[in-house]
Amino acid sequence: ETGVTQSPTHLIKTRGQQVTLRCSSQSGHNTVSWYQQALGQGPQFIFQYYREEENGRGNFPPRFSGLQFPNYSSELNVNALELDDSALYLCASSLAKLAGGSDTQYFGPGTRLTVL
Amino acid sequence: QKEVEQDPGPLSVPEGAIVSLNCTYSNSAFQYFMWYRQYSRKGPELLMYTYSSGNKEDGRFTAQVDKSSKYISLFIRDSQPSDSATYLCAMSGRGGGSQGNLIFGKGTKLSVKP
């Protein structure tokens, strides 16, 4: 069973540029959530994708967008980068249990984005 | 007031000590409570998952949830230098994964000295 993987590991961009981060979910998982973790803070929920549709969104502007593919991998796109976008971006995968009950999120190693 | 409050520390203890970490929260809708461990420059790793009130034990780790007080705790017995990490509490109003996003505390940085 493979875990959650993310690419790239590190990225440096300049203000105003656009960036795409990628995530491969854990084998057997069908849901991907993205989080932003600023230095010294806990992760903050950006959005979640289930069956290729956005399934919830946190308090992030529309320049943060995403995609989920048929193989359940996912992308996070950020347009018009700002200095405050510098953070660790975490992807978490889980298996939706439609009948209810608990399901847990497993995190990847993250992509560290620096905006200059 | 933030939804989840967690003392960021840092917390420094000698090897073998019992460590107590805790979080308070304000949203009574939270039902699922988690503790994650995060090593420097790595992603969070799930340690404990608890539904509603009560205790859960796994090896040296014990998680407690008191919904009446909106207070959760993680205890680490016989702490080891390898336990040195940041510990994040997280909670959700629904089934933790696809049925709800996680709300995290800021994390407590723990250092266990040999």
Side-chain angles (χ1 to χ4, degrees), chain B residues 26-42:
Chain B
S26 57
N27 189 341
S28 57
F30 289 147
Q31 297 184 61
Y32 298 89
F33 304 90
M34 288 133 275
W35 286 94
Y36 284 85
R37 177 174 62 195
Q38 187 174 27
Y39 291 112
S40 182
R41 298 188 172 271
K42 301 289 186 186

Side-chain angles (χ1 to χ4, degrees), chain A residues 37-63:
Chain A
Q37 186 176 24
L39 199 61
Q41 303 294 317
Q44 279 200 295
F45 176 70
I46 302 174
F47 45 56
Q48 183 180 83
Y49 278 83
Y50 170 65
R51 291 186 173 178
E52 302 178 55
E53 299 273 336
E54 188 177 290
N55 185 41
R57 187 177 185 94
N59 189 26
F60 280 81
R63 61 189 183 83

Side-chain angles (χ1 to χ4, degrees), chain A residues 37 48 96-97 103-105 112, chain B residues 36 38 49 95-99:
Chain A
Q37 186 176 24
Q48 183 180 83
K97 293 180 182 175
D103 47 335
T104 55
Q105 296 189 16
R112 187 160 297 279
Chain B
Y36 284 85
Q38 187 174 27
Y49 188 112
S98 64
Q99 296 169 33

Side-chain angles (χ1 to χ4, degrees), chain A residues 8-74:
Chain A
T9 306
H10 297 92
L11 205 51
I12 299 175
K13 292 286 190 179
T14 56
R15 199 169 49 181
Q17 284 189 310
Q18 179 265 343
V19 69
T20 297
L21 310 182
R22 294 178 175 84
C23 170
S24 291
S25 58
Q26 184 168 313
S27 175
H29 286 181
N30 57 13
T31 301
V32 173
S33 303
W34 286 92
Y35 292 80
Q36 180 196 67
Q37 186 176 24
L39 199 61
Q41 303 294 317
Q44 279 200 295
F45 176 70
I46 302 174
F47 45 56
Q48 183 180 83
Y49 278 83
Y50 170 65
R51 291 186 173 178
E52 302 178 55
E53 299 273 336
E54 188 177 290
N55 185 41
R57 187 177 185 94
N59 189 26
F60 280 81
R63 61 189 183 83
F64 286 78
S65 63
L67 282 173
Q68 187 181 32
F69 300 100
N71 66 355
Y72 304 124
S73 65
S74 177

